[in-house]
């Protein structure tokens, strides 16, 4: 949100549902040690296709800037990492799938434009929006007060931060409600995510509590934190709620979800002052109104993250 938003790019066969970590997080080229985490390619995409029937909505399309209506194309910086957000069910040489992919494609159909989707590592997308490299960024980007200083958001789900452990873990057995529960442990998360920011910002909580500090391991490869967890090199993983919940539902991942820690709105990301936000907001709301939005979330098992209406730059949840 990294809710999430929830990520660095995943080129290898290891595009698992791992930690976008709030970056929700999203893309990587496989595990850092060259191995694929268990379960990485084991999540076939659902076969239903609610996007096919989506049609252009003129009232939304007319909100696009004239130059975009003329070119008919938007450049998208896309972080592809793990289900249910965005991943490669059939390998990196095939089309990506996931909730974020379907929602972006559906919005494009409502607006009557094509998407020029370009894979990018999670932490590079937001800076690239400011430079003009991309028109919009996707990757489970969580709306935070810090990001709102330089980025505009159009919300499409409510996800957030959570924690996961290896199944059978005896150190953390309950939901993490306070970071002092992590004191003395090693936590893995994704680079450039809200997870990394949260953990680093509150590193002093353990010292204040008279406990040994927790250690944060940051990974640029989206699959690496899960591999580290499975191999016992970290004790706990911090990532998106939806990603960790999906991951724990896959028997081969051998992970357990420890519950929600902090909710965040997640949105399409734009450079500050972008003229695209009103059109995207109208498109998301059109999809909510006609039921396509609900069908996409149901397809990916994320209905609990549904929003009633899309907003532009809402304040961060506290």
């Amino acid at each position: 949100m990294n809710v999430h938003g929830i990520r660095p790019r995943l080129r290898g066969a290891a595009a698992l549902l791992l930690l976008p970590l709030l970056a929700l997080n999203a893309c990587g080229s496989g595990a850092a040690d060259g191995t694929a985490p268990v379960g990485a390619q084991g999540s076939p995409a659902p076969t239903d296709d609610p996007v096919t029937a989506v049609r252009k909505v003129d009232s939304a399309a007319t909100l696009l800037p004239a130059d975009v209506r003329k070119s008919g194309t938007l450049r998208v910086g896309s972080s592809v990492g793990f289900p249910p957000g965005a991943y490669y069910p059939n390998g990196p040489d095939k089309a990506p799938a996931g909730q974020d992919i379907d929602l972006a494609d559906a919005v494009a159909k409502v607006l009557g434009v094509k998407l020029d989707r370009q894979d990018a590592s999670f932490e590079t997308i937001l800076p690239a929006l400011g430079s003009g490299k991309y028109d919009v960024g996707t990757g489970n980007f969580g709306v935070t007060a810090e990001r709102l200083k330089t980025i505009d958001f159009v919300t499409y789900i409510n996800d957030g931060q959570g924690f996961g452990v290896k199944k059978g873990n005896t150190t953390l057995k309950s939901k993490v409600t306070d970071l002092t529960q992590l004191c003395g442990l090693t936590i893995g998360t994704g680079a450039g995510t809200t997870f990394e920011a949260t953990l680093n910002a509150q590193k002093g909580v353990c010292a204040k509590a008279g406990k040994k500090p927790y250690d944060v391991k940051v990974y640029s490869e989206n699959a690496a934190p899960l591999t580290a967890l499975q191999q016992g090199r970290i004790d706990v993983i911090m990532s998106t709620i939806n990603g960790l919940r999906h991951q724990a539902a896959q028997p081969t991942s051998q992970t357990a979800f420890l519950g929600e820690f902090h909710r965040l709105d997640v949105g399409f990301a734009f450079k500050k002052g972008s003229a695209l936000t009103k059109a995207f907001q109208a498109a998301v709301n059109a999809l909510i109104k006609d039921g396509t939005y609900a069908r996409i979330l149901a397809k990916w098992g994320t209905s609990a993250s549904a929003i009633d209406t899309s907003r532009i730059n809402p304040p961060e949840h506290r």
Side-chain angles (χ1 to χ4, degrees):
M1 254 189 269
N2 243 181
V3 249
H4 271 322
I6 149 53
R7 243 120 243 313
R9 172 164 93 226
L10 208 128
R11 294 190 189 98
L16 177 76
L17 41 90
L18 156 92
L19 195 76
L21 294 120
L22 294 194
L24 300 98
N25 343 158
C27 304
S29 58
D33 60 2
T35 63
V38 175
Q41 283 294 101
S43 295
T47 57
D48 51 317
D49 185 9
V51 179
T52 298
V54 177
R55 297 292 179 265
K56 183 179 179 181
V57 177
D58 289 337
S59 60
T62 56
L63 296 174
L64 286 170
D67 60 331
V68 174
R69 295 200 304 272
K70 182 177 180 180
S71 69
T73 302
L74 287 171
R75 298 162 300 164
V76 181
S78 180
S79 175
V80 180
F82 50 88
Y87 72 119
Y88 292 107
N90 302 305
D93 57 334
K94 305 294 184 182
Q99 166 199 270
D100 288 3
I101 302 299
D102 279 354
L103 285 172
D105 287 347
V107 164
K109 293 189 75 171
V110 168
L111 297 178
V113 297
K114 302 288 187 183
L115 298 182
D116 175 14
R117 184 176 279 114
Q118 302 172 32
D119 283 5
S121 60
F122 180 83
E123 72 272 21
T124 66
I125 292 177
L126 298 186
L129 292 171
S131 71
K133 183 176 182 178
Y134 309 122
D135 300 306
V136 57
T138 63
N140 210 49
F141 288 104
V143 180
T144 68
E146 185 63 28
R147 286 175 175 170
L148 284 169
K149 295 176 182 178
T150 57
I151 298 294
D152 282 339
F153 289 96
V154 173
T155 61
Y156 60 84
I157 60 165
N158 179 262
D159 197 343
Q161 302 171 331
F163 292 94
V165 294
K166 189 173 181 179
K167 191 170 289 187
N169 175 282
T170 57
T171 304
L172 277 175
K173 299 179 181 179
S174 61
K175 178 179 178 179
V176 177
T177 58
D178 189 307
L179 293 185
T180 57
Q181 293 171 250
L182 304 176
C183 296
L185 301 180
T186 301
I187 309 152
T189 196
T193 63
T194 64
F195 316 116
E196 179 187 10
T198 295
L199 292 169
N200 287 336
Q202 299 191 48
K203 255 192 169 180
V205 297
C206 294
K208 290 180 181 179
K211 298 181 178 182
K212 181 180 178 181
Y214 56 72
D215 185 30
V216 181
K217 299 294 186 185
V218 179
Y219 300 88
S220 292
E221 297 299 331
N222 207 31
L226 179 61
T227 300
L229 184 69
Q230 291 170 333
Q231 295 178 350
R233 290 183 280 114
I234 60 174
D235 301 300
V236 60
I237 193 169
M238 189 178 188
S239 184
T240 63
I241 294 167
N242 285 337
L244 291 171
R245 181 179 283 124
H246 182 98
Q247 181 183 82
Q250 314 306 310
T252 55
S253 75
Q254 290 296 299
T255 63
F257 176 51
L258 291 185
E260 301 177 8
F261 178 69
H262 178 52
R263 278 275 173 178
L264 285 172
D265 287 312
V266 171
F268 295 105
F270 307 84
K271 69 178 181 180
K272 204 67 182 174
S274 171
L276 295 171
T277 56
K278 290 186 180 300
F280 268 70
Q281 180 190 35
V284 174
N285 284 333
L287 295 169
I288 292 173
K289 183 178 180 179
D290 72 11
T292 301
Y293 175 81
R295 290 191 291 273
I296 291 174
L297 268 58
K299 171 183 177 179
W300 294 104
T302 57
S303 297
S305 287
I307 58 174
D308 295 327
T309 188
S310 175
R311 295 193 291 167
I312 297 173
N313 296 338
E316 179 180 352
H317 286 289
R318 294 299 182 184

